[in-house]
Amino acid sequence: MSFNAFELCSGCLKQLGKVMILVVVAFVVLTAAAMLNAYGPCLGHERVGKAFGCFLGLLVFFSLVCMLLWSYFAAFLTEPGRVPAGWSPFSSEEEAQLEAERAEARSPEQGKGVAGSGRLRYCRKCHGWKPERTHHDSMAGRCVLKMDHYCVWIANTVGLCNYKAFLLFLFYTFWACLLAACMLLGEVVSFFRGLDTVSPEQSSRFALTLLAFIVDIAFALSLGGLLGMHARMVWLNVTTIEMFEKRRVTQWPFDRGPRRNFQEVFGASAWRWWLPTHTRQEQERMLDAALAAQPFEEAMGTEFANL
Ligand SMILES: [Zn+2]
């Protein structure tokens, strides 16, 4: 029996993904409990202004939590973008079959291509043609349209259909963590100021606040960096994989300007930008664009990509 380190790593990542779902839910429960613990009693405060301030803070926080959970499960449950069975860039099935046989006969090292280079792309693992910006996803064992990366946090591959949900998950989680950290900061400071007069019961309640505060700070910092990186990629219309491939392409053909690049991911309707879903019309348009005939004609029969 041969040992395959890659398969072992893929298996580990899949199992880790299942654990990560529990980690995300546990993190949300922890922060929500800490916020209710710190600000729940304040809702009945005799000063109406203070009670209203606490209510407003909790309302915004729990609204962000609802949106982050919706985005999370949308990213987790949405199929990232499958290449339709039998798809090919050729006008006839016979031609596609003939060229596929030629592509299979070539060595794997020969003719490796990148998105945006206008070269024909054939997947040796799926034994089928794939549109530009499509990559083979080893975790799921199939090609994914506009594949970005496999995300262990959502236990799914991020691709054409769930990239918006993934970005909104990052966005809402970042703001929920930042808001919670800012609101819990006051509790942390006042606890340490009155350390001499703290009762054991207060200490045990504070442990929850402190733990949530530290976790929120850590998440806000790391998600802020990740959001910044993805904002730049949306601006330029590149995926994480293409960030590396793009260096090998002199002129990036998918960059249509920041506004259109943004709309390609989030849609044209401003109020729907905030929702982790696509309308049927948007889905069809995205799929059509992803499968649209590329400038393959000039490369046809000369070069093949076997990524
Ligand atoms: Zn494939």
Side-chain angles (χ1 to χ4, degrees):
M1 196 175 78
S2 64
F3 173 75
N4 188 326
F6 185 77
E7 276 181 16
L8 182 67
C9 287
S10 299
C12 290
L13 278 177
K14 275 184 189 171
Q15 296 308 317
L16 186 61
K18 290 173 190 164
V19 176
M20 284 307 189
I21 296 167
L22 296 177
V23 172
V24 170
V25 173
F27 154 73
V28 170
V29 171
L30 168 76
T31 308
M35 289 291 279
L36 282 176
N37 185 44
Y39 286 91
C42 167
L43 293 175
H45 200 277
E46 56 191 20
R47 277 174 52 207
V48 179
K50 183 156 185 178
F52 182 70
C54 293
F55 170 75
L56 204 61
L58 286 176
L59 181 70
V60 175
F61 172 75
F62 279 101
S63 300
L64 288 170
V65 166
C66 288
M67 292 309 292
L68 86 82
L69 285 176
W70 183 10
S71 306
Y72 179 74
F73 284 104
F76 164 54
L77 295 170
T78 303
E79 158 64 42
R82 198 178 281 272
V83 180
W87 181 90
S88 92
F90 299 94
S91 50
S92 72
E93 261 184 53
E94 293 73 26
E95 195 179 4
Q97 182 62 34
L98 185 71
E99 295 296 352
E101 283 167 16
R102 286 186 189 168
E104 290 273 4
R106 287 166 188 254
S107 68
E109 295 76 28
Q110 205 174 4
K112 279 214 164 193
V114 297
S117 63
R119 303 173 83 178
L120 288 172
R121 297 167 68 84
Y122 183 81
C123 180
R124 287 169 168 274
K125 289 163 187 160
C126 299
H127 304 289
W129 294 100
K130 57 184 178 183
E132 277 206 286
R133 315 196 79 181
T134 302
H135 288 84
H136 186 80
D137 172 16
S138 302
M139 297 296 289
R142 45 108 169 90
C143 281
V144 169
L145 297 167
K146 206 180 172 188
M147 179 176 164
D148 193 89
H149 68 289
Y150 179 81
C151 176
V152 74
W153 285 97
I154 62 165
N156 196 5
T157 302
V158 179
L160 178 76
C161 302
N162 63 349
Y163 187 50
K164 181 188 181 188
F166 171 75
L167 289 182
L168 287 176
F169 166 59
L170 297 185
F171 178 80
Y172 289 124
T173 310
F174 169 74
W175 285 109
C177 289
L178 197 63
L179 178 66
C182 291
M183 286 178 73
L184 295 175
L185 178 64
E187 294 293 308
V188 173
V189 171
S190 46
F191 178 85
F192 284 112
R193 274 188 182 158
L195 206 54
D196 299 338
T197 56
V198 169
S199 67
E201 192 203 340
Q202 282 176 310
S203 293
S204 57
R205 279 180 57 194
F206 178 71
L208 177 70
T209 304
L210 187 63
L211 181 63
F213 175 73
I214 292 169
V215 172
D216 285 331
I217 288 279
F219 269 84
L221 288 174
S222 52
L223 288 175
L226 199 58
L227 257 184
M229 190 182 90
H230 277 281
R232 183 166 175 265
M233 292 198 292
V234 170
W235 182 278
L236 298 171
N237 200 349
V238 289
T239 63
T240 303
I241 295 173
E242 289 165 355
M243 280 291 277
F244 300 97
E245 289 187 346
K246 189 173 174 287
R247 293 172 194 162
R248 291 149 62 188
V249 180
T250 48
Q251 196 172 6
W252 189 242
F254 306 108
D255 184 2
R256 299 180 181 97
R259 188 165 154 267
R260 286 188 66 186
N261 291 345
F262 178 85
Q263 287 181 344
E264 190 174 310
V265 177
F266 287 89
S269 164
W271 75 270
R272 289 196 58 86
W273 290 346
W274 313 96
L275 308 181
T277 56
H278 292 290
T279 61
R280 183 177 288 274
Q281 207 178 17
E282 282 172 349
Q283 280 175 345
E284 284 170 2
R285 212 176 295 149
M286 280 163 55
L287 203 62
D288 285 348
L291 300 176
Q294 299 85 35
F296 279 154
E297 285 75 13
E298 57 266 34
M300 207 179 278
T302 54
E303 292 178 294
F304 293 88
N306 294 310
L307 285 176

